[in-house]
């Protein structure tokens, strides 16, 4: 309830902000601020730092260096590390130092510093921020004290560690059993010591040493059921007289016996049974020792079991890694599936098959024969359609792994088999079937998580290659539709072209060429390169190709056309930074106007003369510099018989040589083929220039020969 004398505040009232000046914020900041010259002489300090240290402003500003305020160790660190790092790096962060106060006390601080420099790089001073680290230092001391306490506690248990060292060194349960007998016989002198483990499948107790079954009755049964130690006879007092009744179950065991269950994290692994001469009594300390020993024994048993599981998990992880790596190499569906079955046999199974759904039909794409090479069950090639086995049919219908003991037709030696649905992106695309022969370990329910992971990885890789093949087909069709059509038919010129994609079986990219009629007696020639490859690059290429044709028909000319393309690519992001060379040839005169937007220079080959790179009319790639001044173009006249070559960077750019060296090599190769027809010239030139190239980039080449008016 509001107070009676409260004054209502309008909802639109402006809150009152304390009148705090920048000087107040500096002087009373929650950290110390100092400014020094390059030598450390303090030129300015705030009130917070003065309050922490007890100094007056007149004692520091212009009189003391920052490093002079540090402890002796801090001054040494400042001279050997702090100042050097500040000079080299220009800044230091969170340096722990001690500042000596006027009363002789030391203030733990964290220091950040930045060096200021003028335009020519000369140091003009340092700005230093100091944080009070007193609480942090106290916390660090508390941590150190706790660590020392833990070390003291560790020393107290070393006596027990010496007794259990041999147990901890055991590598398997057989060695653990030997340690139990040896260590307990040496310390307690029992008549007998037996270590028995619970069989996970049957629940029986199996003695590790003699591989015999220890029946679950008497003392061992009570210890296992109660999950607590059981001792025969009452526990004696200090004088050795019995003080209470024996534990339940003691009547069924000989006098002087103990049963210690091996329990770890609520799981009963087995029991340690000790037999002593009649009349043996167990003092409290001895019981505590035995319980501790049994606990250590249980930990050792669990460790060895986990080790065995880890080894198996490592083997399976390596297999998964091999499968994943193999399934991501190559582009062919059948090859990937065959790699999969080849890896699984014989490491995991005696036979493996991969069957994929195509509509309602099931096609077997790969299979590996049983280990041992049964000729009747050799490698199975791709078959059009197969009838699924009952196990595979259940796996496909349920979308879950299916374990089956049934024997596939014609292979009665199969012990167990499992059908794993190949699931990817929420749907079943097929099945992976594994079979284990009579001599193999077989498949169990606990193997299904690993096998499911394996099948899921295989399914994803197989579907990815299927999607890639679909995309490749679409891209191929798109690329063919977007590459230049038939050039105009005119006896005054001839055109030959070559296009080679970066990857032999992926014919799609951003390179293109085009030759078209601009108007009567004038043709347009263009070669361009859109950044990237794939459907996105091909689509952007098609849009640029169409835009160039449309703009050329308006009579803009090369330079103005490229200027319009700058504005066009603002709305086509994928076309940004594309490079283009565009030229217009007047057939009646041989006049050639051309402009290059970030593209490699055209190469002109006269009928009689050396090749010449045309470096005129150059400007930046499309959309590289918004608001760039009007683009430029160049002009020349082609004599009858002259040839003009336009090309993309894939023809000449190499990682192991400069671009000028490659252009000179191009000119030499053109000169060596000066007498070849245009079609032969582009084919021979492409073969020669790409002889040392491994298909990293698309290649586009256009050769125009001017025959004259």
């Amino acid at each position: 309830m509001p107070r009676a004398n409260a004054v209502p505040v309008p909802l639109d009232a402006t809150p009152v902000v304390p009148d705090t000046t920048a000087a107040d914020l500096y002087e009373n900041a929650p950290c110390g601020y100092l400014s020094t010259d390059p030598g450390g002489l303090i030129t300015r300090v705030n009130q917070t730092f003065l309050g922490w240290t007890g100094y007056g402003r007149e004692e520091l500003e212009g009189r003391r260096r920052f490093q002079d305020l540090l402890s002796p160790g801090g001054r040494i660190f400042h001279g050997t590390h702090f100042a050097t790092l500040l000079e080299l790096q220009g800044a230091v962060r969170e340096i722990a130092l001690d500042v000596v106060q006027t009363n002789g006390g030391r203030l733990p601080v964290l220091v950040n510093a930045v060096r200021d420099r003028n335009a020519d790089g000369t140091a003009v001073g340092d700005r230093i921020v100091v944080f009070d680290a007193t609480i942090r230092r106290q916390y660090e001391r508390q941590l150190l004290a706790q660590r020392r306490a833990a070390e003291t506690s560790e020393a107290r248990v070393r006596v027990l560690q010496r007794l259990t060292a041999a147990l901890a060194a055991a590598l398997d349960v057989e060695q653990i059993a030997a340690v139990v007998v040896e260590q307990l016989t040496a310390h307690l002198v029992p008549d007998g010591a037996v270590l028995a483990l619970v069989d996970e499948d049957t629940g029986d107790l199996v003695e590790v040493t003699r591989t015999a079954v220890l029946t679950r009755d008497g003392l061992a049964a009570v210890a296992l059921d109660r999950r607590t130690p059981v001792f025969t006879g009452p526990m004696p007092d200090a004088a050795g007289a019995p003080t209470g009744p024996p534990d339940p179950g003691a009547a069924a065991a000989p006098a002087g016996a103990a049963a210690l269950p091996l329990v770890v994290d609520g799981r009963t692994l087995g029991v340690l049974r000790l037999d002593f001469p009649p009349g043996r009594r167990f003092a409290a300390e001895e019981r505590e020792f035995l319980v501790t020993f049994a606990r250590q024994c249980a930990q050792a048993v669990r460790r060895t079991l986990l080790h065995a599981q880890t080894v198996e998990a490592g083997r399976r992880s390596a297999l998964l890694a091999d499968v994943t790596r193999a399934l991501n190499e190559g582009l062919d569906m059948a090859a990937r599936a065959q790699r999969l079955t080849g890896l699984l046999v014989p490491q995991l199974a005696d036979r493996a098959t991969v069957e994929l759904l195509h509509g309602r039909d099931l096609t077997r794409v790969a299979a590996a024969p049983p280990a041992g090479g049964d000729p009747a069950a050799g490698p199975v090639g791709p078959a059009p359609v197969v009838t699924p086995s009952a196990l595979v049919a259940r796996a496909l219908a349920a979308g879950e792994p299916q374990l089956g003991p049934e024997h596939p037709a014609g292979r009665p030696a199969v012990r167990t088999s499992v059908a794993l649905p190949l699931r990817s992106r929420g749907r079943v695309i097929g099945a992976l079937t594994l079979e284990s022969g009579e001599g193999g370990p077989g498949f169990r329910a606990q193997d299904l998580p690993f096998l499911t992971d394996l099948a899921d990885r295989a399914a994803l890789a197989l579907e990815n290659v299927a999607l890639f093949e679909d995309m490749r087909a679409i891209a191929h069709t798109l690329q063919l539709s977007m590459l230049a059509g038939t050039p105009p038919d005119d006896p005054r010129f001839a055109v030959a072209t070559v296009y080679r994609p970066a990857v032999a079986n992926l014919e799609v990219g951003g390179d293109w060429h085009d030759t078209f009629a601009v108007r009567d007696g004038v043709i347009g020639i263009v070669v361009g390169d859109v950044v990237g490859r794939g459907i996105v690059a091909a689509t952007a290429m098609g849009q640029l190709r169409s835009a160039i044709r449309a703009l050329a028909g308006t009579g803009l000319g090369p330079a103005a056309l490229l200027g319009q393309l700058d504005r066009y690519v603002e709305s086509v992001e994928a076309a940004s930074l594309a490079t283009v060379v565009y030229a217009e040839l007047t057939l009646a005169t041989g006049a050639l106007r051309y402009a290059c937007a970030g593209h490699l220079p055209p190469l002109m080959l006269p009928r009689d003369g050396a090749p010449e790179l045309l470096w005129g009319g150059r400007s930046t790639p499309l959309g590289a510099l918004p608001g760039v001044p009007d683009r430029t173009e160049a002009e020349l006249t082609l004599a009858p018989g002259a040839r003009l070559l336009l090309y993309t960077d894939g023809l000449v750019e190499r990682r192991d040589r400069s671009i000028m060296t490659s252009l000179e090599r191009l000119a030499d190769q053109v000169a060596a083929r000066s007498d070849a027809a245009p079609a032969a010239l582009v084919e021979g030139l492409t073969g020669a220039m790409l002889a040392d190239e491994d298909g990293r980039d698309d290649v586009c080449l256009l050769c125009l020969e001017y025959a004259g008016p």
Side-chain angles (χ1 to χ4, degrees):
M1 179 179 295
R3 298 193 305 270
N5 60 350
V7 179
V9 179
L11 294 177
D12 59 349
T14 302
V16 178
V17 179
D19 185 11
T20 304
T21 65
D24 291 334
L25 292 174
Y26 174 84
E27 291 293 337
N28 300 304
C31 57
Y33 286 124
L34 299 94
S35 298
T36 72
D37 66 8
L41 183 64
I42 298 173
T43 58
R44 188 177 181 186
V45 61
N46 74 340
Q47 186 59 44
T48 300
F49 185 84
L50 296 175
W52 287 349
T53 59
Y55 287 100
R57 193 179 304 273
E58 68 282 359
E59 296 179 85
L60 298 182
E61 293 183 351
R63 302 181 67 87
R64 301 286 296 275
R65 298 182 305 170
F66 173 70
Q67 54 266 40
D68 296 336
L69 304 181
L70 304 177
S71 64
R75 290 196 295 272
I76 294 174
F77 182 84
H78 185 283
T80 57
H81 294 77
F82 187 101
T84 303
L85 291 173
L86 188 59
E87 175 63 24
L88 294 176
Q89 300 178 174
V92 292
R93 297 286 186 271
E94 296 188 357
I95 303 299
L97 298 170
D98 285 344
V99 174
V100 180
Q101 300 165 312
T102 56
N103 60 5
R106 294 189 179 186
L107 176 68
V109 296
L110 292 178
V111 179
N112 293 351
V114 177
R115 173 146 293 180
D116 293 327
R117 299 181 184 276
N118 57 22
D120 63 1
T122 303
V124 297
D126 301 329
R127 287 175 290 150
I128 302 174
V129 181
V130 179
F131 298 95
D132 186 350
T134 302
I135 302 300
R136 174 172 174 165
R137 182 70 59 81
Q138 293 174 353
Y139 177 68
E140 291 173 347
R141 289 173 177 171
Q142 291 174 358
L143 289 179
L144 181 59
Q146 292 174 358
R147 179 180 177 182
R148 290 173 177 170
E151 291 173 350
T152 302
S153 176
E154 182 180 358
R156 293 172 181 170
V157 301
R158 285 192 180 125
V159 174
L160 181 61
Q161 289 178 339
R162 284 194 295 270
L163 294 176
T164 58
L167 185 64
L171 299 178
D172 53 41
V173 291
E174 287 76 13
Q175 293 184 18
I176 290 174
V179 167
V180 167
V181 173
E182 177 184 354
Q183 295 296 320
L184 291 182
T185 300
H187 289 84
L188 300 178
V189 195
D191 289 342
V194 178
L195 175 66
L197 300 183
V198 177
D199 185 275
E200 292 184 358
D201 294 331
T202 64
D204 293 333
L205 285 174
V206 179
E207 295 182 9
V208 177
T209 51
R210 297 192 296 272
T211 319
V213 176
L214 180 67
T215 58
R216 295 187 57 151
D217 57 8
L219 210 62
V222 175
L224 289 173
D225 292 341
R226 294 169 53 183
R227 292 188 177 183
T228 57
V230 177
F231 299 89
T232 60
M235 183 174 67
D237 59 14
T243 59
D247 288 327
L260 308 165
L262 306 181
V263 181
V264 179
D265 297 333
R267 177 187 174 191
T268 302
L269 303 178
V271 64
L272 176 60
R273 168 69 179 266
L274 303 175
D275 293 326
F276 293 90
R280 176 65 181 269
R281 306 298 179 182
F282 299 95
E285 295 79 6
E286 194 172 36
R287 295 189 182 208
E288 183 178 354
F289 168 78
L290 289 173
V291 169
T292 302
F293 189 92
R295 187 180 300 116
Q296 294 294 329
C297 182
Q299 294 286 352
V301 170
R302 184 180 69 166
R303 175 175 55 80
T304 58
L305 296 178
L306 289 177
H307 174 71
Q309 295 172 3
T310 301
V311 171
E312 177 63 16
R315 187 185 70 85
R316 292 183 172 187
S317 295
L319 179 59
L320 286 176
D322 291 342
V323 168
T324 302
R325 182 170 54 255
L327 291 181
N328 284 284
E329 296 174 355
L331 302 176
D332 181 73
M333 168 76 76
R336 288 193 180 189
Q338 197 61 48
R339 281 197 190 116
L340 173 63
T341 57
L343 284 170
L344 299 183
V345 176
Q347 293 190 59
L348 189 62
D350 296 320
R351 181 176 174 83
T353 58
V354 175
E355 297 164 334
L356 298 180
L357 286 169
H358 296 278
R360 294 186 176 181
D361 295 330
L362 190 67
T363 301
R364 180 169 296 170
V365 296
D374 180 1
V380 178
V385 177
V386 296
T387 300
S389 66
L391 202 64
V392 171
R394 292 201 304 270
L396 293 175
E400 298 293 338
Q402 300 293 319
L403 277 171
E406 64 262 24
H407 305 304
R411 293 192 298 279
V414 174
R415 175 185 177 188
T416 59
S417 58
V418 58
L420 304 161
L422 297 174
R423 298 171 299 187
S424 179
R425 298 178 175 92
R427 65 188 186 94
V428 177
I429 64 172
L432 168 65
T433 304
L434 303 175
E435 299 173 4
S436 176
E438 288 293 346
F443 302 108
R444 300 174 299 175
Q446 51 263 45
D447 298 325
L448 292 182
F450 160 70
L451 296 175
T452 301
D453 186 10
L454 174 67
D456 289 345
R457 295 181 186 220
L460 182 61
L462 293 175
E463 187 179 37
N464 283 344
V465 72
L467 293 175
F468 178 82
E469 289 175 350
D470 292 341
M471 182 178 291
R472 179 179 62 187
I474 295 171
H476 178 75
T477 303
L478 178 63
Q479 185 76 27
L480 292 179
S481 68
M482 289 185 173
L483 287 175
T486 304
D489 186 12
D490 194 305
R492 293 173 290 183
F493 76 95
V495 172
T497 60
V498 169
Y499 173 79
R500 291 190 182 180
V503 182
N505 58 355
L506 182 61
E507 191 169 339
V508 59
D511 292 12
W512 88 96
H513 58 78
D514 201 4
T515 306
F516 56 91
V518 176
R519 54 186 177 275
D520 189 25
V522 178
I523 61 171
I525 313 142
V526 60
V527 166
D529 184 359
V530 173
V531 176
R533 63 171 66 102
I535 292 179
V536 174
T539 303
M541 173 268 286
Q543 292 174 299
L544 281 179
R545 174 175 173 268
S546 300
I548 290 173
R549 284 196 170 216
L551 292 171
T554 64
L556 290 174
L561 184 145
L562 295 182
Q564 290 297 320
L565 287 180
D566 279 324
R567 286 182 280 276
Y568 176 73
V569 299
E570 292 178 358
S571 61
V572 184
E573 182 179 355
S576 181
L577 299 181
T579 65
V580 178
V581 54
Y582 174 70
E584 291 183 356
L585 175 64
T586 303
L587 298 176
T589 62
L592 179 73
R593 301 166 60 197
Y594 67 93
C596 294
H599 206 82
L600 293 166
L603 187 145
M604 192 268 291
L605 178 65
R607 177 186 290 274
D608 299 312
E612 176 185 356
L613 292 169
L614 305 180
W615 291 100
R618 301 194 62 76
S619 55
T620 59
L622 298 179
L625 297 174
V628 69
D630 294 340
R631 293 182 180 270
T632 61
E633 64 181 55
E635 298 183 12
L636 57 85
T637 300
L638 294 180
R643 297 177 181 180
L644 183 70
L645 272 76
L646 308 181
Y647 50 92
T648 57
D649 54 4
L651 185 68
V652 293
E653 287 189 350
R654 300 292 181 270
R655 295 180 180 177
D656 58 349
R657 69 175 71 102
S658 69
I659 188 62
M660 294 307 300
T661 300
S662 293
L663 290 176
E664 291 172 0
R665 182 168 179 261
L666 174 65
D668 293 340
Q669 293 292 336
V670 171
R673 295 168 175 79
S674 58
D675 296 332
L681 174 62
V682 295
E683 287 294 340
L685 188 60
T686 304
M689 294 298 293
L690 300 183
D692 61 345
E693 213 276 335
D694 59 1
R696 288 186 295 266
D697 200 1
D698 302 332
V699 175
C700 186
L701 174 62
L702 180 149
C703 175
L704 180 141
E705 182 178 59
Y706 177 57

